[in-house]
Structures are given as structure tokens and as C-alpha cells.
């Protein structure tokens, strides 16, 4: 499944409230995200307001369109709009700045038995143990 990373800018004077709101996202919003194809969705917030999002989806455009069609998303986006700068009046979920992926570890690891040892088969190294 494709991975997507995006950025937005949260107003520095609203960081604490933004984090509080995301500590208790409405259950119906979480369910709508799940039902419309958002997987492994995370948000990371830097102290200057840089918001970095990561999501896995079959098709982000389709997942966004499906969310846009939900009533709960319209309410959530209206509640969140004032937290952001640089959205030019668009809802935050339509203002993502997508970042291109330039590296993914699993894409570059050799496949099969010649690859790195898995944690289950790797020999543990113990302190003070000779190699």
C-alpha cells in the first residue's frame, strides 16, 4: 500500500489546544477515517507548529474524497480550520503539502534468507560476553 507524508502549519499560539483536541478525537471521526481507507495514520507536531502527517492508503485522493463526503468530517474541519496558517481559506484536509518519499528501508533490504537476520533469529549480544 502506498505511504503518504504531508505537512501543514499549526498556529504557534494554538499548539497546546491543538494537541488536546487530538488527544480525544471524536470516535465517529476515527471510525470515518478507518471506513474511508486511512490506515496507520499519525500526526507529529513540532514546537514551532510544523505538523507532519503520515498515512497509508490505497489511494489518498480517493480516501480524501470519501472523507469529504462525510458529515462528521465537515464538522471536524470547521472546528480545526482556525488552528492552521497558510491554507488560503481551504479546509485543512484539502491543504496538505505532500512530500515525496525518497527512502524506505524495507524497499532496499535484500529479500529472502540472504537478508539481515530477523529479531527472532538474531543472536543476542550480552554485555561482557566474548564474540
Amino acid at each position: 500500500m502506498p505511504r503518504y507524508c504531508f505537512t501543514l502549519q499549526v498556529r504557534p499560539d494554538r499548539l497546546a489546544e491543538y494537541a488536546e483536541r487530538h488527544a480525544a478525537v471524536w470516535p465517529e471521526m476515527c471510525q470515518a477515517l478507518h471506513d474511508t481507507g486511512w490506515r496507520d495514520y499519525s500526526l507529529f507536531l513540532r514546537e514551532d507548529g510544523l505538523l507532519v502527517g503520515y498515512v497509508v492508503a490505497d489511494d489518498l485522493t480517493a480516501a480524501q474524497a470519501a472523507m469529504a463526503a462525510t458529515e462528521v468530517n465537515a464538522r471536524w474541519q470547521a472546528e480545526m480550520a482556525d488552528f492552521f496558517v497558510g491554507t488560503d481559506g481551504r479546509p485543512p484536509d484539502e491543504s496538505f503539502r505532500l512530500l515525496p518519499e525518497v527512502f524506505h528501508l524495507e524497499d532496499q533490504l535484500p529479500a529472502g534468507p540472504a537478508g539481515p537476520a530477523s529479531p527472532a533469529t538474531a543472536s543476542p549480544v550480552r554485555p561482557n560476553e566474548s564474540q
Side-chain angles (χ1 to χ4, degrees):
M1 246 193 229
R3 296 170 298 277
Y4 301 92
C5 184
F6 62 87
T7 62
L8 285 164
Q9 185 66 41
V10 176
R11 293 170 48 127
D13 61 326
R14 305 284 305 269
L15 296 179
E17 184 182 358
Y18 183 84
E20 284 176 25
R21 297 274 188 108
H22 282 81
V25 174
W26 307 331
E28 63 269 30
M29 182 63 175
C30 292
Q31 189 63 51
L33 286 162
H34 179 269
D35 292 348
T36 58
W38 297 67
R39 303 285 179 267
D40 199 17
Y41 183 28
S42 296
L43 296 172
F44 302 86
L45 184 59
R46 198 166 68 182
E47 64 277 354
D48 66 355
L50 177 66
L51 182 73
V52 177
Y54 172 86
V55 64
V56 174
D58 287 322
D59 179 341
L60 182 60
T61 301
Q64 285 178 292
M67 273 306 290
T70 67
E71 179 275 334
V72 68
N73 188 63
R75 285 189 291 124
W76 182 263
Q77 297 306 319
E79 293 253 342
M80 294 293 109
D82 289 340
F83 285 91
F84 296 96
V85 296
T87 59
D88 298 323
R90 296 184 322 259
D93 66 338
E94 295 175 17
S95 303
F96 294 168
R97 183 171 189 165
L98 287 173
L99 303 176
E101 184 175 69
V102 296
F103 174 79
H104 185 244
L105 176 62
E106 282 70 24
D107 291 344
Q108 294 192 29
L109 288 174
S118 71
T121 60
S123 299
V125 175
R126 292 179 184 87
N128 302 321
E129 189 175 54
S130 297
Q131 295 277 323

